[in-house]
Amino acid sequence: DNPDHEAPFEVEPAPLAVSTPSTLREKVFRICTSRRVFVIALALLTLCLLLLAQSHLRRWDVVKNEWDFKFGYLVQANTAPVWLGEFGTNSNSIYWQYTLRYMKENDLDFAYWPINGEKRPGQGESFGIWAEDMKTVQQSGILKALQDFIETRRSSDDEPEIQFQ
């Protein structure tokens, strides 16, 4: 016998995989854990994509290009007038600011919706310029923005102002 040479070792065959309750629970736990991690990762990825899309859609050039494509070309090419109807807000949001800017830049006419503060009797309308009593202004910032918009247009028009008597 050579002392430097080890005797070959015998490999025992692996036992057949039999799912005992404890190993089955471990397998289910591993699957659930890995799926849970996958679902959480997918949810985080979706949230990141939504935030990215929202930040992209909040850019002025993106909004302007979209509105130019949908209806702005009619005014810009002098094909037809555009009347922006039934739009409103209850906040000074970026979209409200973009709407006013687009209307100014393209000389659009408009109908703000709604002026009244009631959706139906007894149910308030937060977008309404007036409150439910039709006496109180509930959206003073929106009213001021519309007044400024109208005044800006009036002062820049080449046409004489029509005087009613």
Side-chain angles (χ1 to χ4, degrees):
D1 280 78
N2 184 352
D4 294 334
H5 185 267
E6 295 179 16
F9 60 92
E10 289 187 29
V11 177
E12 292 182 27
L16 292 175
V18 177
S19 292
T20 62
S22 65
T23 58
L24 181 60
R25 264 184 282 184
E26 290 171 7
K27 287 179 183 179
V28 169
F29 178 76
R30 272 183 279 181
I31 291 171
C32 290
T33 304
S34 63
R35 285 189 183 161
R36 187 176 310 138
V37 169
F38 174 75
V39 168
I40 291 170
L42 186 61
L44 289 173
L45 177 63
T46 303
L47 178 62
C48 290
L49 290 174
L50 287 172
L51 291 173
L52 180 64
Q54 181 186 17
S55 67
H56 178 72
L57 293 174
R58 292 176 61 94
R59 291 184 15 216
W60 166 244
D61 62 318
V62 173
V63 173
K64 180 187 178 309
N65 289 339
E66 182 70 18
W67 290 348
D68 284 347
F69 177 76
K70 289 187 175 179
F71 61 86
Y73 69 93
L74 294 168
V75 174
Q76 293 159 2
N78 250 353
T79 303
V82 172
W83 176 274
L84 184 58
E86 295 195 13
F87 71 97
T89 187
N90 58 4
S91 68
N92 189 23
S93 70
I94 193 72
Y95 299 107
W96 169 250
Q97 294 170 32
Y98 286 169
T99 301
L100 290 176
R101 180 176 175 181
Y102 195 83
M103 289 187 335
K104 285 177 188 175
E105 290 181 5
N106 291 281
D107 194 28
L108 299 182
D109 294 310
F110 69 94
Y112 182 86
W113 172 84
I115 194 164
N116 61 323
E118 215 175 33
K119 285 184 184 181
R120 56 188 64 83
Q123 184 180 7
E125 171 60 78
S126 66
F127 285 29
I129 291 178
W130 300 111
E132 288 182 62
D133 64 7
M134 292 299 287
K135 296 176 186 175
T136 310
V137 174
Q138 76 173 351
Q139 294 292 345
S140 58
I142 302 301
L143 180 59
K144 175 78 170 110
L146 290 172
Q147 288 170 330
D148 290 348
F149 173 74
I150 292 168
E151 188 57 40
T152 302
R153 287 187 60 189
R154 183 179 296 148
S155 64
S156 66
D157 283 345
D158 294 332
E159 300 174 18
E161 187 176 331
I162 300 173
Q163 297 289 326
F164 295 98
Q165 301 201 12

PDB file of all heavy atoms in Angstrom, residues 83-94:
ATOM      1  N   TRP A  83     -62.928  76.273 -30.270  1.00  0.00           N
ATOM      2  CA  TRP A  83     -63.603  76.723 -29.058  1.00  0.00           C
ATOM      3  C   TRP A  83     -63.330  75.678 -27.999  1.00  0.00           C
ATOM      4  O   TRP A  83     -63.728  74.527 -28.135  1.00  0.00           O
ATOM      5  CB  TRP A  83     -65.105  76.846 -29.323  1.00  0.00           C
ATOM      6  CG  TRP A  83     -65.917  77.210 -28.137  1.00  0.00           C
ATOM      7  CD1 TRP A  83     -66.432  76.356 -27.204  1.00  0.00           C
ATOM      8  CD2 TRP A  83     -66.327  78.507 -27.741  1.00  0.00           C
ATOM      9  NE1 TRP A  83     -67.130  77.039 -26.265  1.00  0.00           N
ATOM     10  CE2 TRP A  83     -67.080  78.384 -26.577  1.00  0.00           C
ATOM     11  CE3 TRP A  83     -66.110  79.781 -28.264  1.00  0.00           C
ATOM     12  CZ2 TRP A  83     -67.641  79.467 -25.912  1.00  0.00           C
ATOM     13  CZ3 TRP A  83     -66.677  80.862 -27.610  1.00  0.00           C
ATOM     14  CH2 TRP A  83     -67.429  80.709 -26.455  1.00  0.00           C
ATOM     15  N   LEU A  84     -62.616  76.055 -26.969  1.00  0.00           N
ATOM     16  CA  LEU A  84     -62.312  75.135 -25.882  1.00  0.00           C
ATOM     17  C   LEU A  84     -63.453  75.208 -24.882  1.00  0.00           C
ATOM     18  O   LEU A  84     -63.641  76.227 -24.219  1.00  0.00           O
ATOM     19  CB  LEU A  84     -60.986  75.507 -25.227  1.00  0.00           C
ATOM     20  CG  LEU A  84     -60.468  74.593 -24.140  1.00  0.00           C
ATOM     21  CD1 LEU A  84     -60.299  73.174 -24.669  1.00  0.00           C
ATOM     22  CD2 LEU A  84     -59.165  75.101 -23.597  1.00  0.00           C
ATOM     23  N   GLY A  85     -64.250  74.165 -24.822  1.00  0.00           N
ATOM     24  CA  GLY A  85     -65.445  74.200 -23.990  1.00  0.00           C
ATOM     25  C   GLY A  85     -65.393  73.224 -22.839  1.00  0.00           C
ATOM     26  O   GLY A  85     -64.712  72.215 -22.868  1.00  0.00           O
ATOM     27  N   GLU A  86     -66.133  73.594 -21.836  1.00  0.00           N
ATOM     28  CA  GLU A  86     -66.343  72.750 -20.664  1.00  0.00           C
ATOM     29  C   GLU A  86     -65.048  72.239 -20.053  1.00  0.00           C
ATOM     30  O   GLU A  86     -64.831  71.051 -19.899  1.00  0.00           O
ATOM     31  CB  GLU A  86     -67.287  71.599 -20.997  1.00  0.00           C
ATOM     32  CG  GLU A  86     -68.660  72.094 -21.332  1.00  0.00           C
ATOM     33  CD  GLU A  86     -69.711  70.998 -21.310  1.00  0.00           C
ATOM     34  OE1 GLU A  86     -69.429  69.897 -20.809  1.00  0.00           O
ATOM     35  OE2 GLU A  86     -70.814  71.266 -21.783  1.00  0.00           O
ATOM     36  N   PHE A  87     -64.195  73.152 -19.696  1.00  0.00           N
ATOM     37  CA  PHE A  87     -63.003  72.787 -18.937  1.00  0.00           C
ATOM     38  C   PHE A  87     -63.057  73.562 -17.632  1.00  0.00           C
ATOM     39  O   PHE A  87     -63.642  74.634 -17.557  1.00  0.00           O
ATOM     40  CB  PHE A  87     -61.717  73.130 -19.702  1.00  0.00           C
ATOM     41  CG  PHE A  87     -61.459  74.603 -19.797  1.00  0.00           C
ATOM     42  CD1 PHE A  87     -60.608  75.218 -18.893  1.00  0.00           C
ATOM     43  CD2 PHE A  87     -62.060  75.376 -20.769  1.00  0.00           C
ATOM     44  CE1 PHE A  87     -60.371  76.586 -18.971  1.00  0.00           C
ATOM     45  CE2 PHE A  87     -61.829  76.735 -20.857  1.00  0.00           C
ATOM     46  CZ  PHE A  87     -60.984  77.342 -19.951  1.00  0.00           C
ATOM     47  N   GLY A  88     -62.506  73.002 -16.603  1.00  0.00           N
ATOM     48  CA  GLY A  88     -62.517  73.671 -15.312  1.00  0.00           C
ATOM     49  C   GLY A  88     -61.536  73.016 -14.367  1.00  0.00           C
ATOM     50  O   GLY A  88     -60.960  71.979 -14.665  1.00  0.00           O
ATOM     51  N   THR A  89     -61.364  73.632 -13.223  1.00  0.00           N
ATOM     52  CA  THR A  89     -60.436  73.113 -12.227  1.00  0.00           C
ATOM     53  C   THR A  89     -60.815  73.662 -10.862  1.00  0.00           C
ATOM     54  O   THR A  89     -61.560  74.636 -10.767  1.00  0.00           O
ATOM     55  CB  THR A  89     -58.984  73.497 -12.565  1.00  0.00           C
ATOM     56  OG1 THR A  89     -58.102  72.843 -11.651  1.00  0.00           O
ATOM     57  CG2 THR A  89     -58.771  74.989 -12.506  1.00  0.00           C
ATOM     58  N   ASN A  90     -60.318  73.041  -9.845  1.00  0.00           N
ATOM     59  CA  ASN A  90     -60.484  73.587  -8.497  1.00  0.00           C
ATOM     60  C   ASN A  90     -59.125  73.834  -7.846  1.00  0.00           C
ATOM     61  O   ASN A  90     -59.020  73.966  -6.646  1.00  0.00           O
ATOM     62  CB  ASN A  90     -61.354  72.662  -7.633  1.00  0.00           C
ATOM     63  CG  ASN A  90     -60.787  71.266  -7.527  1.00  0.00           C
ATOM     64  OD1 ASN A  90     -59.702  70.993  -8.027  1.00  0.00           O
ATOM     65  ND2 ASN A  90     -61.512  70.388  -6.892  1.00  0.00           N
ATOM     66  N   SER A  91     -58.086  73.892  -8.683  1.00  0.00           N
ATOM     67  CA  SER A  91     -56.745  74.166  -8.165  1.00  0.00           C
ATOM     68  C   SER A  91     -55.908  74.829  -9.252  1.00  0.00           C
ATOM     69  O   SER A  91     -56.230  74.771 -10.427  1.00  0.00           O
ATOM     70  CB  SER A  91     -56.063  72.870  -7.715  1.00  0.00           C
ATOM     71  OG  SER A  91     -55.784  72.061  -8.831  1.00  0.00           O
ATOM     72  N   ASN A  92     -54.841  75.420  -8.826  1.00  0.00           N
ATOM     73  CA  ASN A  92     -53.912  76.059  -9.762  1.00  0.00           C
ATOM     74  C   ASN A  92     -52.883  75.026 -10.209  1.00  0.00           C
ATOM     75  O   ASN A  92     -51.688  75.199 -10.029  1.00  0.00           O
ATOM     76  CB  ASN A  92     -53.247  77.265  -9.095  1.00  0.00           C
ATOM     77  CG  ASN A  92     -52.455  78.087 -10.078  1.00  0.00           C
ATOM     78  OD1 ASN A  92     -52.708  78.055 -11.280  1.00  0.00           O
ATOM     79  ND2 ASN A  92     -51.483  78.819  -9.579  1.00  0.00           N
ATOM     80  N   SER A  93     -53.363  73.947 -10.803  1.00  0.00           N
ATOM     81  CA  SER A  93     -52.489  72.837 -11.196  1.00  0.00           C
ATOM     82  C   SER A  93     -51.658  73.214 -12.418  1.00  0.00           C
ATOM     83  O   SER A  93     -51.923  74.187 -13.114  1.00  0.00           O
ATOM     84  CB  SER A  93     -53.330  71.603 -11.512  1.00  0.00           C
ATOM     85  OG  SER A  93     -54.055  71.811 -12.712  1.00  0.00           O
ATOM     86  N   ILE A  94     -50.682  72.377 -12.686  1.00  0.00           N
ATOM     87  CA  ILE A  94     -49.837  72.588 -13.865  1.00  0.00           C
ATOM     88  C   ILE A  94     -50.672  72.513 -15.137  1.00  0.00           C
ATOM     89  O   ILE A  94     -50.440  73.239 -16.101  1.00  0.00           O
ATOM     90  CB  ILE A  94     -48.647  71.596 -13.868  1.00  0.00           C
ATOM     91  CG1 ILE A  94     -47.599  71.996 -14.902  1.00  0.00           C
ATOM     92  CG2 ILE A  94     -49.102  70.170 -14.113  1.00  0.00           C
ATOM     93  CD1 ILE A  94     -46.808  73.202 -14.541  1.00  0.00           C
TER      94      ILE A  94
END
